[in-house]
Amino acid sequence: MTDAILQQRDGGLLTLQLNRPDKKNALTRAMYTRLAEALEQADADPQINAVLIQGSSECFTAGNDIGDFLDQPPSDLDTPPFHFMKSLLNCRKPVIAAVAGAAVGIGTTLLLHCDLVYVSRDAHLRMPFVNLGLCPEFGSSLILPRLLGHAKAAELLLLGEGFTGEQAAAWGIATEALSSGEATLAKARQIAERFDTLAPGAVQITKQLMKSVDREQLRQVIEEEGALFTQRLRSPEAIAALSGFVTRR
């Protein structure tokens, strides 16, 4: 079986590649666990200076694997998806994301916790939580209104409207939009490798200072969202919407 999370270490850079092309890199419980463990190991390894998270040049991730979710929905905050969220939130090393193609659900919200995000201009990002009978997760209900204002955040979260990589860069969700998927992966790697030339202690302290404002409030919001998200997964609205999605697929 193909490894759904490929790990590659080059100098002080750890690359985590989502590698499930037949399912558009949809995330399973096992993939969340692998990602969380890799982030925690990178955080503890003094030889790792940065982490790069990427998909392929055609697709970042379609979000959660709905069939996997329906088979064993998260019941509390100790389950693999929330373990991954906590690991990314707590990572002291800089995390860079390279996004081409689809970035759906957590494929978009995880970007809010990366330090540098490079996207292809035609990437398609979307957070269709309400459309699936669910609610926002990973702090997006706090971060997006602050970043974009209530009206634009409502368009993305209440209506589940999609947006392009070019828009993501213009709104501050991404660092830069590139001309193609290949260019996006190359630029993200080029930037990630620069951390091998920078003082690791200074980088980590700077990240800590940048993330320290309202950190506890963000943690509380993530926990509140998570509790409500798990409740919503068991709601008739979500069960009908998710089951309908699997049937259409």
Side-chain angles (χ1 to χ4, degrees):
M1 180 181 294
T2 302
D3 193 339
I5 303 293
L6 300 178
Q7 297 189 44
Q8 179 180 340
R9 184 166 175 170
D10 297 296
L13 174 62
L14 175 66
T15 300
L16 302 176
Q17 180 177 351
L18 310 180
N19 183 48
R20 201 180 174 216
D22 57 320
K23 298 294 184 180
K24 297 183 179 180
N25 294 335
L27 296 164
T28 64
R29 297 187 304 274
M31 292 170 71
Y32 278 121
T33 297
R34 289 289 303 277
L35 288 168
E37 291 174 349
L39 285 167
E40 290 168 356
Q41 290 166 6
D43 192 56
D45 188 340
Q47 302 303 313
I48 295 294
N49 296 321
V51 179
L52 172 61
I53 300 176
Q54 65 179 54
S56 69
S57 59
E58 290 82 34
C59 181
F60 184 57
T61 175
N64 288 310
D65 184 301
I66 301 300
D68 190 68
F69 247 51
L70 288 174
D71 179 56
Q72 190 174 334
S75 57
D76 56 53
L77 301 183
D78 291 324
T79 47
F82 298 110
H83 182 194
F84 163 71
M85 291 182 193
K86 184 182 296 184
S87 299
L88 180 56
L89 185 67
N90 291 337
C91 188
R92 294 169 296 177
K93 310 293 176 69
V95 179
I96 301 90
V99 179
V104 181
I106 196 166
T108 293
T109 59
L110 75 84
L111 304 178
L112 304 175
H113 303 277
C114 294
D115 301 292
L116 294 160
V117 177
Y118 297 91
V119 296
S120 60
R121 289 177 189 148
D122 61 354
H124 185 73
L125 300 89
R126 191 179 177 217
M127 295 167 285
F129 302 119
V130 169
N131 310 72
L132 295 173
L134 302 170
C135 68
E137 37 85 321
F138 212 174
S140 54
S141 65
L142 173 68
I143 297 172
L144 287 172
R146 288 185 174 182
L147 184 63
L148 306 176
H150 179 85
K152 178 55 69 175
E155 185 178 52
L156 303 185
L157 292 176
L158 291 178
L159 298 178
E161 293 290 332
F163 54 102
T164 65
E166 194 163 18
Q167 288 174 306
W171 296 341
I173 293 173
T175 308
E176 183 180 350
L178 285 301
S179 60
S180 67
E182 291 82 0
T184 300
L185 296 183
K187 180 60 178 286
R189 174 163 296 277
Q190 174 192 355
I191 296 298
E193 289 174 345
R194 287 179 57 184
F195 286 102
D196 275 349
T197 68
L198 298 171
V203 168
Q204 291 176 41
I205 289 172
T206 301
K207 174 171 177 172
Q208 177 185 340
L209 291 169
M210 293 174 67
K211 296 280 190 178
S212 63
V213 178
D214 297 328
R215 187 175 183 83
E216 286 310 309
Q217 182 183 13
L218 178 58
R219 289 184 189 277
Q220 291 172 11
V221 169
I222 291 172
E223 290 182 3
E224 181 181 0
E225 288 173 340
L228 292 170
F229 192 94
T230 57
Q231 291 177 23
R232 292 300 307 168
L233 278 170
R234 298 187 292 272
S235 70
E237 289 178 344
I239 291 171
L242 293 168
S243 299
F245 179 86
V246 171
T247 300
R248 290 192 298 275
R249 291 293 295 272

